[in-house]
Amino acid sequence: MRQDQFHRLLTDCPILAKAPAGAAHDLASSLQRKSYSRGDSIYAEGDPADQVFLIQHGKVRIGRTACDRAGRVILDIRAPTEVFGEVDALTGPLRTTWAVAHTEALILVMSNEALRDWLRAHPAVDHLLLRFMAARLRRAQLRLAHARCEDIDRRVAHALLQHWRDYGTARRGLNVVELDRDHDEVGQCHDISREQVYATLTGFQRRGWIRIEGRLVHILEPAQFTRFAEEFGGM
């Protein structure tokens, strides 16, 4: 990766996008690059919470072991320029979640000691970090409320809209979302099975709201689709 590409990755990171000039550049020297294959464990529950991670390429699943049923719960799926592991690293000393490579991934790693040194050198970033973590908490609370109160169709619609807002693009005048091959990104974080996601997306396609082309979902009627998703309590 060229230096200009590396700098652009750092400045596109939500925490660093509004950081003081020079903060991203100073951070670069503290980062180490690690690669992971799909399904590789990045860290496990109970591991020392001594590192923070920034995704350069690929996606990562964040989750924890369920306490009331067998299996594991997916809390979120993170994409390039997103940070993960920061909450455990700041509150520690052990991980309360696990992280697994959802796809092949290239991750930039920073030690807790380097993070604290960087925050001391750039105290204005503290406020940005708090806002970033508060926004994530609000998003998690909304997801929990939707999961408890809404039917599956609206939960899938919420998840698809959120994915579009976070990672979607515009192609030939249409809003396009690229999902993984099994549509797990829509279902896993909202406790919806793969089969339910597929059936629901097929139903949306029959209504003329979306068009599915392999891993691409084209949102044909964004206003109507958003209205359907939000009429039950809002996002």
Side-chain angles (χ1 to χ4, degrees):
M1 172 178 275
R2 300 196 312 269
Q3 186 64 29
D4 61 329
Q5 293 175 316
F6 186 70
H7 182 73
R8 187 162 58 250
L9 171 74
L10 294 181
T11 53
D12 284 344
C13 172
I15 295 177
L16 297 173
K18 297 182 179 179
H25 182 270
D26 291 348
L27 183 64
S29 61
S30 302
L31 297 171
Q32 295 182 331
R33 192 179 283 113
K34 293 185 179 181
S35 60
Y36 296 87
S37 298
R38 178 184 173 97
D40 283 354
S41 173
I42 299 171
Y43 59 77
E45 291 174 82
D47 283 354
D50 55 3
Q51 294 176 319
V52 178
F53 305 85
L54 170 63
I55 303 174
Q56 177 179 325
H57 172 76
K59 295 181 180 179
V60 173
R61 294 196 306 271
I62 311 296
R64 64 177 303 160
T65 303
C67 61
D68 58 351
R69 59 179 179 173
R72 304 196 294 178
V73 175
I74 308 296
L75 301 176
D76 205 357
I77 297 178
R78 305 280 166 82
T81 75
E82 290 195 285
V83 172
F84 65 97
E86 76 287 353
V87 174
D88 287 339
L90 292 171
T91 59
L94 301 178
R95 297 284 179 192
T96 59
T97 60
W98 50 259
V100 170
H102 189 60
T103 65
E104 288 188 356
L106 195 58
I107 309 296
L108 304 177
V109 185
M110 184 182 198
S111 71
N112 280 12
E113 182 179 357
L115 174 63
R116 292 191 180 99
D117 288 344
W118 179 68
L119 290 174
R120 280 194 291 267
H122 299 279
V125 180
D126 276 344
H127 179 64
L128 296 173
L129 182 59
L130 284 173
R131 291 185 61 186
F132 171 78
M133 294 172 67
R136 275 200 173 158
L137 177 59
R138 180 176 182 273
R139 179 172 167 178
Q141 290 171 332
L142 288 173
R143 182 185 298 137
L144 177 61
H146 296 154
R148 292 174 62 89
C149 301
E150 296 184 349
D151 58 38
I152 288 176
D153 283 6
R154 285 188 174 83
R155 284 158 61 189
V156 171
H158 275 300
L160 188 61
L161 282 172
Q162 189 63 57
H163 204 72
W164 165 42
R165 289 164 177 165
D166 289 345
Y167 315 117
T169 59
R171 302 185 187 182
R172 297 190 298 274
L174 295 177
N175 300 298
V176 181
V177 180
E178 183 173 358
L179 304 177
D180 63 13
R181 62 186 176 212
D182 298 321
H183 301 332
D184 284 343
E185 289 162 283
V186 171
Q188 287 186 338
C189 295
H190 297 263
D191 199 23
I192 308 170
S193 72
R194 183 182 305 165
E195 293 75 17
Q196 289 172 318
V197 170
Y198 181 78
T200 302
L201 291 177
T202 301
F204 291 161
Q205 183 168 243
R206 283 198 299 266
R207 299 185 198 188
W209 294 348
I210 66 173
R211 183 175 72 246
I212 303 171
E213 294 179 355
R215 295 169 59 172
L216 298 181
V217 177
H218 302 259
I219 300 179
L220 306 178
E221 298 289 344
Q224 189 172 358
F225 190 60
T226 302
R227 191 159 53 248
F228 168 79
E230 296 183 349
E231 68 184 8
F232 199 91
M235 285 191 69

